[in-house]
Amino acid sequence: MNICLALVCLFWGSALYVLFRPTTLLMFHWADALGLTSSIGEMRDWASGFDKYLPIWVVFSLPFALWVSAYLFFIESIWMNSTSLARHLWFYCIPLIALFTELAQIKHIIPGNYDLVDLAAIIVAIILGFYMTSPYSQKKGVTET
């Protein structure tokens, strides 16, 4: 189940980014170098107009939050509720890095524009990811006798 959730989050986060974010972003230069510009252009043409129905936070804040959630689901599917130190290091590193990078933008420690909505989206993604991967929130299909 976690791998499916991870793939769904990864797909939708990426789709929002590719379809609706400005093409001046570095990712689009990489896509051009890989010869993907016309394919991306066709997808963006197909999706043009949909963005007016999406709240701005969906386009600009949700993709990264979905990627953080995808990471948590992927790690949980690999480690399967392990209590090892390695699992915890891997599980918590990206959420902590995501929070740090957003907060570090306040003091211009890293480039970017701090956005409270981005921070809120990241926090919600982390909370949901922690909750949904918690062994207490999942039914394991095993009954106690």
Side-chain angles (χ1 to χ4, degrees):
M1 179 63 163
N2 285 324
I3 197 78
C4 291
L5 288 171
L7 291 171
V8 166
C9 289
L10 186 63
F11 172 80
W12 283 109
S14 300
L16 288 167
Y17 206 87
V18 168
L19 295 175
F20 302 115
R21 293 296 293 266
T23 56
T24 56
L25 295 172
L26 182 59
M27 181 208 73
F28 291 101
H29 297 287
W30 297 339
D32 188 41
L34 294 170
L36 299 172
T37 301
S38 81
S39 296
I40 290 173
E42 289 175 21
M43 289 187 289
R44 288 174 68 90
D45 287 344
W46 175 83
S48 69
F50 286 120
D51 57 336
K52 65 183 171 188
Y53 300 108
L54 299 174
I56 197 160
W57 68 268
V58 169
V59 174
F60 289 97
S61 299
L62 187 59
F64 188 64
L66 287 170
W67 293 333
V68 170
S69 294
Y71 174 83
L72 292 171
F73 294 133
F74 274 126
I75 293 300
E76 185 58 30
S77 68
I78 292 168
W79 289 89
M80 301 297 256
N81 296 319
S82 169
T83 58
S84 76
L85 178 60
R87 181 257 184 207
H88 290 293
L89 290 174
W90 281 105
F91 190 77
Y92 292 108
C93 73
I94 293 299
L96 291 174
I97 291 169
L99 288 171
F100 172 76
T101 56
E102 191 61 36
L103 293 171
Q105 292 174 14
I106 295 171
K107 297 288 186 184
H108 306 290
I109 296 169
I110 63 166
N113 295 317
Y114 168 75
D115 185 351
L116 184 60
V117 177
D118 288 353
L119 183 62
I122 292 166
I123 291 170
V124 168
I126 291 169
I127 291 169
L128 287 174
F130 285 178
Y131 174 75
M132 293 182 72
T133 59
S134 165
Y136 302 108
S137 68
Q138 300 174 359
K139 294 190 178 188
K140 300 297 181 194
V142 177
T143 57
E144 293 183 36
T145 55

